[in-house]
Amino acid sequence: MASWRRLAGRALRGLAGLRGERAPRGRCLHTENHDPARLETSSAKSLMDIGTRRIFSSDHDIFRQSVRKFFQEAVVPYHAEWEKAGQVSRELWEKAGQQGLLGVNVSEECGGIGGDLFSAAVVWEEQMYVNCTGPGFSLHSDIVMPYIANYGSQEQIERFIPEMAAGKCIGAIAMTEPGAGSDLQGVRTFGKKNGSDWILNGSKVFITNGWMSDLVIVVAVTNREARSPAHGISLFLVENGMKGFVKGRKLEKIGLKAQDTAELFFEDVRLPASALLGQENKGFYYLMAELPQERLLIADMAIASCEFMFEETRNYVKQRKAFGKTIAHLQTVQHKLAELKTQICVGRAFLDSCLQLHAAKRLDSATASMAKYWASDLQNSVATQCVQLHGGWGYMWEYPIAKSFVDSRVQPIYGGTNEIMKELIARDIVSDK
């Protein structure tokens, strides 16, 4: 275990260019790859090969090797048990922290690892490459932690980020409510000022990491008289164990069975002034600033899942026999594989472009929405076609493609439905601004 961490640390130090120095706070560190000979996935032997794609460097390859080994040895053997339990183990979170796999793209000064965005993407992708959706690492590291790192006080950063990077404090974000999903301005959870404190009331649903969470960022209305709902939303840090904070049941889903998803209830939860994240009534603007990264990681994990499903299906059709030969010899199967690989490689090219844009702080909301909608729709299309190529066995839970199929279905729903993504894209198209 320690040797893996040293390997990951070596790679990340190279990526961050730290050379023994601490990374400046808030700065995203990157490296340029100087090897133009790297293959793109379309030319590689496998869509999951290490050493491909121009956006990565040899340091990323070293890091990817250690991450791949971690998922294969610390996650794959136990995932079936976690699916039955409806959650992964706390031990896994701490192991991931020991490996340096949490808070990868959060600066070292804040208490994170200090790697670049591409290193974070390596973790997203490698989780999909083992087809294990249980660990909620990406939400914890690349959605929750950035809110604290970017908008938190020094006290909040020092208190929570190191513990979250260590896997000892599991993070969640509570946006969705029974009556408010993609429409964040429909939030009803209310934070009322009471002296210097806040009293929080409301409920949330479909919260990833909700059951295991130690810290939840809660989206709440704090000014009902604001000229628009967007001007009256704030973010609060609510800790597990606070009086009035109640976790409901773990929700039983058709997929993502090892990922804990819960209802959360807030009944007169008294919060100190220090629980406010950022400025009062600025929460909606923080959400809008951070949502492109959430949509990007959903999209990248969707394409990585496509790459996994393609390789799984390619291996299957080369072994499965029908009519006296493997079904890979059938022209209709060959043409379907050709279509799938082309679609996936086109999607990968766009996603890698989006990763580069985001690393340079240039990924806008409309482009992130395109990535999320396109990649998650593609993921579902690929899943359906790969199940078909597996025949009846594709419908059996023991086959990885069946799990990929049910896990893919939620991707066009969370992070903002794909219908909302199209609204955001269209708004940008027809706007005169």
Side-chain angles (χ1 to χ4, degrees):
M1 182 72 74
S3 64
W4 298 355
R5 184 174 176 85
R6 283 195 297 272
L7 191 63
R10 173 187 160 195
L12 286 170
R13 281 194 297 275
L15 292 168
L18 297 179
R19 308 303 183 209
E21 299 176 4
R22 295 181 70 82
R25 180 179 173 184
R27 182 180 172 193
C28 197
L29 298 162
H30 316 280
T31 57
E32 293 294 331
N33 174 44
H34 300 293
D35 182 6
R38 289 175 75 91
L39 295 176
E40 291 303 310
T41 52
S42 58
S43 304
K45 185 176 181 181
S46 163
L47 298 183
M48 301 186 296
D49 275 355
I50 295 176
T52 61
R53 298 161 59 192
R54 283 166 289 175
I55 66 170
F56 294 119
S57 70
S58 57
D59 284 325
H60 293 112
D61 296 341
I62 295 170
F63 182 54
R64 188 180 288 275
Q65 288 169 354
S66 71
V67 176
R68 184 165 294 188
K69 187 171 184 179
F70 175 83
F71 276 110
Q72 288 173 343
E73 297 188 3
V75 177
V76 172
Y78 312 102
H79 204 261
E81 296 174 23
W82 296 333
E83 287 173 349
K84 294 174 184 176
Q87 66 182 75
V88 303
S89 67
R90 279 200 167 265
E91 181 185 14
L92 175 69
W93 280 90
E94 295 193 17
K95 283 182 179 178
Q98 292 163 10
Q99 285 296 110
L101 303 187
L102 303 176
V104 169
N105 191 214
V106 175
S107 74
E108 195 181 33
E109 184 176 293
C110 286
I113 301 300
D116 63 4
L117 176 71
F118 303 119
S119 303
V122 165
V123 181
W124 308 340
E125 292 165 10
E126 288 302 318
Q127 182 171 348
M128 292 298 96
Y129 289 167
V130 294
N131 201 37
C132 294
T133 52
F137 296 161
S138 60
L139 179 132
H140 168 92
S141 295
D142 302 297
I143 298 176
V144 178
M145 289 179 73
Y147 278 99
I148 300 171
N150 294 337
Y151 309 112
S153 65
Q154 192 63 35
E155 177 189 353
Q156 290 169 336
I157 290 170
E158 291 176 355
R159 182 177 176 193
F160 295 117
I161 294 292
E163 289 290 291
M164 295 177 82
K168 295 178 179 178
C169 175
I170 299 173
I173 184 164
M175 300 187 204
T176 304
E177 298 184 359
S182 294
D183 179 17
L184 288 173
Q185 297 190 58
V187 165
R188 293 290 176 267
T189 297
F190 183 55
K192 183 180 180 181
K193 205 74 176 281
N194 185 274
S196 62
D197 292 346
W198 294 89
I199 305 298
L200 189 66
N201 281 283
S203 65
K204 301 289 182 177
V205 72
F206 309 142
I207 307 306
T208 301
N209 293 348
W211 182 259
M212 297 185 71
S213 63
D214 300 297
L215 179 71
V216 183
I217 298 175
V218 180
V219 179
V221 174
T222 46
N223 182 2
R224 288 173 170 165
E225 309 303 319
R227 64 180 185 270
S228 76
H231 291 86
I233 288 176
S234 300
L235 306 182
F236 293 97
L237 296 175
V238 179
E239 297 176 64
N240 187 35
M242 284 183 161
K243 186 178 180 181
F245 174 28
V246 178
K247 296 177 180 180
R249 61 195 172 96
K250 277 186 283 189
L251 300 173
E252 189 172 353
K253 310 178 295 295
I254 64 170
L256 305 181
K257 290 185 175 293
Q259 190 177 104
D260 70 295
T261 309
E263 299 172 298
L264 304 179
F265 301 94
F266 308 94
E267 302 167 0
D268 291 326
V269 179
R270 180 173 289 275
L271 300 171
S274 60
L276 179 68
L277 182 62
Q279 297 180 44
E280 183 180 339
N281 298 323
K282 295 291 186 183
F284 188 79
Y285 302 99
Y286 301 151
L287 293 169
M288 292 303 101
E290 298 300 321
L291 278 171
Q293 176 156 307
E294 177 176 352
R295 288 161 184 165
L296 177 65
L297 77 85
I298 291 172
D300 191 38
M301 294 177 85
I303 294 295
S305 176
C306 290
E307 291 164 339
F308 166 81
M309 289 187 285
F310 176 83
E311 295 300 340
E312 191 72 18
T313 303
R314 171 164 48 181
N315 291 336
Y316 178 82
V317 300
K318 289 171 73 174
Q319 296 172 16
R320 174 69 170 168
K321 289 188 175 181
F323 310 110
K325 55 187 175 183
T326 64
I327 61 175
H329 284 87
L330 299 174
Q331 188 180 62
T332 185
V333 171
Q334 293 175 359
H335 285 189
K336 181 56 67 178
L337 291 173
E339 291 172 7
L340 288 171
K341 183 174 182 180
T342 301
Q343 291 164 1
I344 295 167
C345 289
V346 169
R348 169 52 69 201
F350 178 54
L351 251 296
D352 281 0
S353 174
C354 288
L355 286 167
Q356 287 180 305
L357 286 171
H358 193 49
K361 307 296 184 187
R362 292 174 51 213
L363 181 68
D364 59 41
S365 175
T367 306
S369 298
M370 291 178 195
K372 193 268 179 183
Y373 128 66
W374 180 263
S376 59
D377 269 10
L378 178 64
Q379 181 183 7
N380 277 266
S381 173
V382 169
T384 298
Q385 294 175 78
C386 287
V387 166
Q388 189 70 21
L389 287 169
H390 275 72
W393 294 112
Y395 201 64
M396 298 296 107
W397 189 249
E398 65 194 87
Y399 276 72
I401 198 65
K403 296 180 184 180
S404 298
F405 177 79
V406 293
D407 288 349
S408 68
R409 188 58 192 89
V410 75
Q411 291 272 87
I413 297 173
Y414 59 21
T417 66
N418 282 6
E419 290 73 22
I420 294 295
M421 297 303 98
K422 293 174 187 179
E423 283 290 318
L424 296 173
I425 297 163
R427 188 183 303 167
D428 189 62
I429 292 169
V430 302
S431 173
D432 292 327
K433 294 182 181 179

